[in-house]
Amino acid sequence: MDTISSSMIKNSLYNGNQKGYSLFNEARNNDNFLKIKNHPFLKEYYNAIKTYAEGICYNKLPDLSFHLFHQFSIDGNRIIYEREYFTRWKILFSLAAVTLIDQTDQYINQIEDMLWDFCDQYTWALPAHLPTSLEGIKNNPWLSEEFIDLFAAETGFSLAEINYLIGDRINPIVVDRVQRELERRILKPFMGEHMFWWETARMNWASVCAGSIGCTAIYMVKNIERLTLILQRVIGILDSYLEGFGDDGATPEGLGYWRYGFSFYVFFAELLKERTNGEIDLFHTGSKQDKKRKIAELPAALQLSNGITTNFSDSLEIFKPNIGLFQRLESIFGDMGYDYSLCSLYGEDHTNKWTYLIRDLFWGVSANIESKSRLKKGKYYFPNVQWFIEKYESLNGDLIAFAAKGGNNDEPHNHNDLGHFILHYKGFNLLPDLGCPEYTKEFFRDGTRYSFINASSLGHSVPMINGQLQKPGISSAAKVIHIKTEENSSEFLLDLTDAYSVDSLSLYTRKFELIKNNWNENMGEIAVLSIQDRFTFNRGGNNVIEAFITHYKPEVLKEGQIKISEKDVAVLMQYDSGKCSAAIEEHEYSGHFGEKKIAFRIVLTLLNEGEDILFHVCFSVLK
């Protein structure tokens, strides 16, 4: 753990008082208001906020009725309630941002009414995170309005910061009520006799919840003794969060949850630094400085072209970075090699977070996007999660990228996906990871999670052995046999035997071989990836079905050749048709936002039923 004692916290807080601390200085600098409006990227971002604010300023608030709240307990649907919940965020936060930047009182009455309404809400938590029965409600250590989940914590942080930035224009009765609700719903429950489960979690919940609470306390709590106790507890939880990363900076949660968790670590660290007048700087204090830098470097390795990312686990395929977060991390650590070419615009965050919006504007204002539109290429291996990634330009200048994973099948937001891989070419993951589906109650239950194609090995480019898919659990783990990298080739060899509960299986290995710039003029193709699977059984009569996942409808060119293409981008899959038969399956599933999506599963049934089976497939990109 980072060694930050209570006495150090207390003394630093006193020092902040004596030196006259100021919080979130960028948002209190009038010069930045004009800079935002003239910034080549942020002027479009801010104009969208202003247009939205003008369009909804007199609209009725979305209704958070009991029946919307109760729907999750009936059918597991989260989207309908959450859409209304996050729309409320969007309305309030847009009006507050325009009020701050335009220095206008035009929307003050509606902001006051909205803040009053937030104080009336039954709970700031989402139904999916609360007990769904009367018995569960009665047995919960916290009242529903006192329960702190991700979004209750975020709401507290957002309201505290809005109060700080524009509270002098808001009726003091409203300000006082908001402060009372922050005390009742956030600070008092956090420092109560019961611990929340996420306080020892090694994943994004710990950082988002604790970081938000810590920021709320910094804005709210003037008593140094009490603030010291709160901050010491928050810092301890954030230490637990950091344990979810390896020393290599990787998290099995994927890039989407990297952003969610690490952003709130950054938000808290920067406010704490300001509150203590620079005496406590979490990025330059303690024993984990190098690890934090490694964590900050992760996006540069995972970013692919056209906004596409390496999206193992419950991550979305598209990753549009937040200009504010990236800029602040580069101000802390120097050039990280981030690609800013497709930064997130206003409204593209479906949760409409205040913390992202306001920091995109005020932290991002110093970013020169034109000079930062590039991808960091190279070879990367993350031993903590057993991910191997390689990115390079082909002879014709197009990005080719490959990523494969080992790990285990007991990871946060777990998918049964050992040995799965992604192949990216010219802005498309032609062989992708399906990422996260629509979040429902069943998706987060152990008994039903793996009925979803996204989490099951059925939805990944891995085989079925003797009728068995991969099993979940910590014992289902890959072993990395070796990694070999040379200038024009790479090799990644995995032992995946333990991923399957097949009694007759003695050994299953998968070898990935990457070949760079192997151009075949006659065929018009570049050989990129070779996969060799070797199965050893202790008896005969076995059955192996290889599978490869894509979002794009495959085309069988002839026996042994299948083309996967989108627009003018294509990859050719070649295999020995004498050793297997081919079929194409079509699977419909719900995407993360409830949209209907199609996954195509290329199924190759191996004809050899002996004790030793060797399978080989080659993927080439087409010019």
Side-chain angles (χ1 to χ4, degrees), residues 536-578:
T536 302
F537 298 91
N538 55 32
R539 58 171 173 76
N542 300 289
N543 173 258
V544 173
I545 298 175
E546 294 279 1
F548 301 91
I549 293 293
T550 181
H551 279 129
Y552 309 107
K553 189 172 184 178
E555 177 187 357
V556 179
L557 300 181
K558 62 181 182 180
E559 288 190 0
Q561 289 191 358
I562 295 175
K563 180 181 177 183
I564 303 167
S565 62
E566 173 65 7
K567 299 179 180 177
D568 62 341
V569 182
V571 64
L572 181 66
M573 174 180 170
Q574 299 179 81
Y575 57 93
D576 187 344
S577 59

